[in-house]
Amino acid sequence: MDILQKDFVPDALPEREDELNDLHSALIPAARGSTPLNTFLYGKSGQGKTATARLKTKQLKEQTESRDDVDITIVTVQCNSLNKSYHVIGNLVKQLRGPGAQKPRGYPQQDLFEMAFEEMNKIGGTIIVVLDEVDSIGNDDDVLYELPRASHNGYIDDDVKISVIGISNDFQFRDNLRPKVKDTLCDEEIEFKPYNAKQLQAILRRRADKALKDDVLEEGVIELCSAYAAQDKASARQALRYLFKAARLTDERGEKDITLEHVEEAKEEIDRELIYSGIENLTTHDHLALAAVTFLEIQNELPARSKRIYQTYRKLADVNDTDPSVLRRFRDRLRDLELYNVLNFEENAGYQEGTYYEYKLAVSLDMLLDVFPAVSDSDDIPALLKEEARKHNRI
DNA sequence: GATCCACAGGAAATAGTGGCTT
DNA sequence: AAGCCACTATTTCCTGTGGATC
């Protein structure tokens, strides 16, 4: 069943041929002993960016393995949860030193850089540094500045070539980089467009062929998983998760065939978990904002504009005995909630303004009412929502 | 075509927070 | 306890937008 898991790296990515080729052209100078281009991969999550980088670097390594004149080393640093360049370099040093090495602690940033370059000199040859989810370092982009320029600055030996592959979910990230970082890092940019439903189906089918016994899939199961994922973020990971969960549900019940009902149920369960993890760590104010939207949904007033939602929010804040934020801040909250996939908005041309947004829930009311009591730090608001829902016959 | 409206979101100012030092 | 520093959250202020209205 491993093959359905998300960290499985397939040995072919037919849906990403173009991107693989682009990355290939960027990296191929390594095979000639010169420096590969610094490359930036960006696109939404679950679009195969990491898989593409892994597959291509692996191929490159295999291709050049038999040659003595080329020596390629791949180092990958997983940057999520590392919100500073400092931590990224620390982890890089750890990776470079090989398995078992400790992450150096307590050194100033410059020393860490020197350690990294020292290790790189030791390793020699062509070193490709993959920084996965680099966007989590925010605007602290020192690593992205130093690494690609190390050879120009004389930090590393002439025969050592360094190149960086940056992977980002965030389109904005690239724009926010300092101009000189952008110049060096972004020799080559590869954009990953979301998969369409057909491509998702192909991906699922390939994995299912390997992981599941023949003929256990009811007609339309793959299509349904793909369709659900395509409607949402078009993420292959998500589609696989639906399929995997459905398979597990089937297993657990000792049944043989994976049916459409299993998929429905799997989706329901996964979505619930997603909502829960999306909102459990939000602040009280964010919860109030979400409660306000929920309240309006109950009253059938959605989609609503931010000002309308704000008024409701103020009332709820009053009930909760909390000082409300100003409208400006409230708008940011709504956008945050959108980021966490609990809200949707539509952009409209205004009647008397530039553009305005209309928000609605991105998740079902039932689920939201379900998880709200578990995440909210007061009892009043969930109770209030329940009562309102009952009044309007929504539960 | 100038002006207005009412909104989105950028920028700067200010408040709040937690760690560390004295 | 007070002061300092770095960082984040929030508020305040402001500019840009694009159809409506004159």
Side-chain angles (χ1 to χ4, degrees), chain A residues 5 68 79 82 115 122 147 173 190 223 226 246 262 289 291 294 299 328 335 341 375:
Chain A
Q5 299 283 20
D68 323 326
C79 303
L82 306 176
M115 286 179 204
K122 261 189 231 165
L147 279 183
F173 178 68
I190 304 174
E223 286 77 4
S226 310
H262 288 134
T294 311
Q299 299 178 331
R328 174 70 188 83
R335 298 306 294 261
N341 302 321
V375 296

Side-chain angles (χ1 to χ4, degrees), chain A residues 103-157:
Chain A
K103 188 176 163 185
R105 309 188 58 181
Y107 297 98
Q109 179 160 313
Q110 199 49 48
D111 290 7
L112 286 181
F113 270 119
E114 277 163 24
M115 286 179 204
F117 294 140
E118 194 180 307
E119 293 300 325
M120 286 176 171
N121 282 332
K122 261 189 231 165
I123 293 169
T126 302
I127 300 172
I128 299 175
V129 181
V130 182
L131 300 175
D132 202 353
E133 299 188 37
V134 252
D135 44 323
S136 68
I137 66 169
N139 49 15
D140 173 24
D141 53 13
D142 291 350
V143 232
L144 299 181
Y145 181 63
E146 296 288 345
L147 279 183
R149 319 184 91 250
S151 47
H152 300 292
N153 293 350
Y155 289 126
I156 55 166
D157 302 343

Side-chain angles (χ1 to χ4, degrees), chain A residues 41 50 53-54 57 74-79 92 127-134 163-167:
Chain A
L41 310 184
T50 306
R54 280 200 208 158
T57 50
I74 315 289
V75 197
T76 305
V77 179
Q78 191 62 43
C79 303
L92 178 61
I127 300 172
I128 299 175
V129 181
V130 182
L131 300 175
D132 202 353
E133 299 188 37
V134 252
S163 101
V164 176
I165 299 177
I167 302 177

Side-chain angles (χ1 to χ4, degrees), chain A residues 375-392:
Chain A
V375 296
S376 182
D377 46 21
S378 88
D379 295 336
D380 295 347
I381 299 296
L384 190 93
L385 288 174
K386 276 249 162 71
E387 194 192 318
E388 192 68 16
R390 211 165 289 132
K391 220 190 285 176
H392 287 79

Side-chain angles (χ1 to χ4, degrees), chain A residues 194-263:
Chain A
Y195 293 121
N196 59 36
K198 270 235 153 56
Q199 293 171 319
L200 288 172
Q201 284 173 28
I203 294 168
L204 284 191
R205 203 171 301 280
R206 249 190 339 269
R207 295 268 198 117
D209 280 349
K210 289 187 187 170
L212 303 172
K213 289 196 208 86
D214 289 345
D215 296 338
V216 294
L217 289 177
E218 192 185 271
E219 181 77 26
V221 162
I222 298 256
E223 286 77 4
L224 189 59
C225 292
S226 310
Y228 278 145
Q231 273 167 25
D232 195 3
K233 304 272 149 184
S235 148
R237 193 176 302 147
Q238 188 182 10
L240 283 164
R241 212 180 279 161
Y242 290 149
L243 183 59
F244 181 56
K245 187 96 186 179
R248 224 178 60 197
L249 285 174
T250 311
D251 250 15
E252 277 168 10
R253 291 175 197 168
E255 292 163 11
K256 186 171 147 290
D257 291 347
I258 301 173
T259 65
L260 295 177
E261 287 76 47
H262 288 134
V263 175

